[in-house]
Amino acid sequence: MPFKNPWFDPLQPHHQPDGFRNLQPLERHAGDVKRWREERKAQGLPLPPDGGYAAFTERWWQKASVSGDDDRLWWLGHASLLLRLQGKYLLTDPVFSHRASPLSFAGPRRKTPVTLSIAELPQLDAVFISHNHYDHLDDRTVRQIIRRFPAVHFFVPLGLKQWFMKRGARQVTELDWWQAVTWQGMAFTAVPAQHWSMRSFWDRNRSLWCGWIIECADFRFWFSGDTGYTSDLADIALRLGPLDAAAIPIGAYAPRWFMGTHHMDPQQAVALWQQIGRPLAVPVHWGVFELADESLDMPPQELSAALSAAGEREERFMPLRIGQSSSLFKSRHE
């Protein structure tokens, strides 16, 4: 029986009777996946980072240490961020497993260690999920979080609530693009992203993908999730207000002809950062999994070059080491 989207609203342009879609047309053609895989294999891509993986880990990884009580952000690698805001701990797209895969023996393997185990997490209050790809939604990680923090509240895009309920989650809020909810003195809004969803051969685009705006007091943070570049993303700041800080993806972009519709490259990330007012920005979606053809160390190198070419200050959009933290106080005062 054909799938019927139970959330279908004909007034919403990203809704379809059988699922969801992006607002911008995607330029994909039959045979593109086969072409990419053949070219990747022929060229032996991705190449190791300069100096090898051990040298990359030495340069870009450190053990995370969660202490203090100020408003702060820790980058845990890829799209996983731990935020402490108003004494609450919030986590985005947690993946603590060895692979981003439904299988324990195949699929993208971590190239850098987990920087903070679930057992080492502080009291976790909320988790934000951008979409259901395995490098953003990990079954084993979610089950472990629920076991350790049974009262944790999950915020997810349309179509994922039941997935979490089946794994024992007690509190799950499911939102559409531009829907918002108030929670413990904070406001959370699901916002558009240019991406797609799929966990099997049979469920493509049956659940939604999104980014998140997190607001409290005079502070507004944008977790963009996983997204390609579109000029429409700048509308988020125009619609919801100026951004104080943001997590913007810079990895999994090569080859651009294939990855560009769903992943942002560093040059596009800089352009978007300028369009949203140059908030304090943390580049994410790199450094852990080899999902595309660029070497693991290419995203920060290209980001530095893109900022220099644009005449911008690197300290406002500078990569953190995996496990490193950054004060969110300075985002309000620079």
Side-chain angles (χ1 to χ4, degrees):
M1 179 180 293
F3 174 76
K4 293 184 178 180
N5 182 358
W7 303 275
F8 177 63
D9 179 351
L11 299 179
Q12 297 295 334
H14 61 289
H15 286 212
Q16 296 191 121
D18 59 351
F20 301 95
R21 71 178 187 91
N22 290 297
L23 298 182
Q24 300 294 329
L26 303 181
E27 296 182 4
R28 283 284 179 88
H29 305 93
D32 278 355
V33 173
K34 182 174 183 289
R35 174 190 164 192
W36 170 53
R37 289 176 175 170
E38 289 177 347
E39 291 180 356
R40 190 179 211 231
K41 183 177 180 181
Q43 298 173 55
L45 300 174
L47 299 174
D50 191 29
Y53 294 101
F56 177 84
T57 300
E58 178 69 20
R59 167 68 181 86
W60 286 109
W61 184 92
Q62 67 183 53
K63 182 67 179 176
S65 176
V66 181
S67 60
D69 59 5
D70 60 330
D71 287 351
R72 183 165 289 271
L73 172 152
W74 288 261
W75 182 45
L76 305 184
H78 201 55
S80 298
L81 296 158
L82 179 68
L83 290 88
R84 182 171 60 213
L85 291 172
Q86 296 186 341
K88 302 294 184 183
Y89 285 97
L90 319 174
L91 186 61
T92 69
D93 286 358
V95 177
F96 292 82
S97 293
H98 184 62
R99 293 185 185 273
S101 170
L103 305 172
S104 62
F105 55 87
R109 182 168 56 87
R110 298 187 75 93
K111 296 298 184 180
T112 47
V114 173
T115 185
L116 187 71
S117 71
I118 292 174
E120 294 170 320
L121 283 171
Q123 175 59 46
L124 194 58
D125 298 290
V127 177
F128 296 84
I129 301 297
S130 65
H131 66 298
N132 71 357
H133 286 164
Y134 289 97
D135 59 314
H136 295 258
L137 178 57
D138 179 59
D139 185 280
R140 182 171 175 268
T141 297
V142 169
R143 290 179 185 273
Q144 290 178 339
I145 287 174
I146 292 171
R147 281 197 296 270
R148 176 145 192 250
F149 306 105
V152 69
H153 199 130
F154 290 91
F155 294 89
V156 305
L158 289 183
L160 289 183
K161 181 175 182 177
Q162 286 304 312
W163 189 93
F164 283 87
M165 299 294 285
K166 288 178 181 178
R167 284 152 182 82
R170 299 177 187 173
Q171 300 185 80
V172 186
T173 297
E174 189 177 53
L175 297 179
D176 196 359
W177 288 355
W178 302 117
Q179 286 185 331
V181 63
T182 299
W183 176 87
Q184 298 193 20
M186 302 183 190
F188 306 142
T189 306
V191 293
Q194 171 94 0
H195 207 58
W196 58 296
S197 67
M198 181 176 170
R199 283 182 79 82
S200 73
F201 294 118
W202 306 279
D203 66 351
R204 186 180 180 91
N205 294 343
R206 290 186 180 182
S207 65
L208 189 57
W209 48 95
C210 72
W212 292 95
I213 294 289
I214 298 170
E215 298 181 70
C216 61
D218 60 344
F219 179 77
R220 188 175 291 111
F221 175 80
W222 178 34
F223 170 59
S224 64
D226 202 351
T227 181
Y229 173 82
T230 75
S231 58
D232 294 343
L233 292 175
D235 293 342
I236 293 170
L238 293 174
R239 183 163 173 171
L240 297 180
L243 301 171
D244 297 287
I248 302 175
I250 64 167
Y253 56 82
R256 287 168 170 84
W257 68 264
F258 182 71
M259 293 291 179
T261 54
H262 295 123
H263 290 147
M264 214 177 300
D265 66 26
Q267 293 76 20
Q268 293 169 324
V270 169
L272 177 62
W273 172 70
Q274 292 173 319
Q275 290 171 339
I276 61 175
R278 297 175 177 83
L280 179 70
V282 177
V284 297
H285 208 260
W286 69 279
V288 177
F289 301 109
E290 292 176 324
L291 302 175
D293 288 357
E294 78 269 9
S295 299
L296 217 55
D297 57 349
M298 284 304 298
Q301 292 180 32
E302 289 209 22
L303 176 64
S304 178
L307 288 166
S308 178
E312 296 288 357
R313 298 164 51 195
E314 289 191 37
E315 59 265 29
R316 295 293 292 172
F317 196 176
M318 183 179 292
L320 298 176
R321 290 163 60 91
I322 298 169
Q324 187 178 358
S325 71
S326 176
S327 169
L328 293 175
F329 176 81
K330 65 181 181 180
S331 68
R332 302 181 177 100
H333 297 276
E334 292 187 4

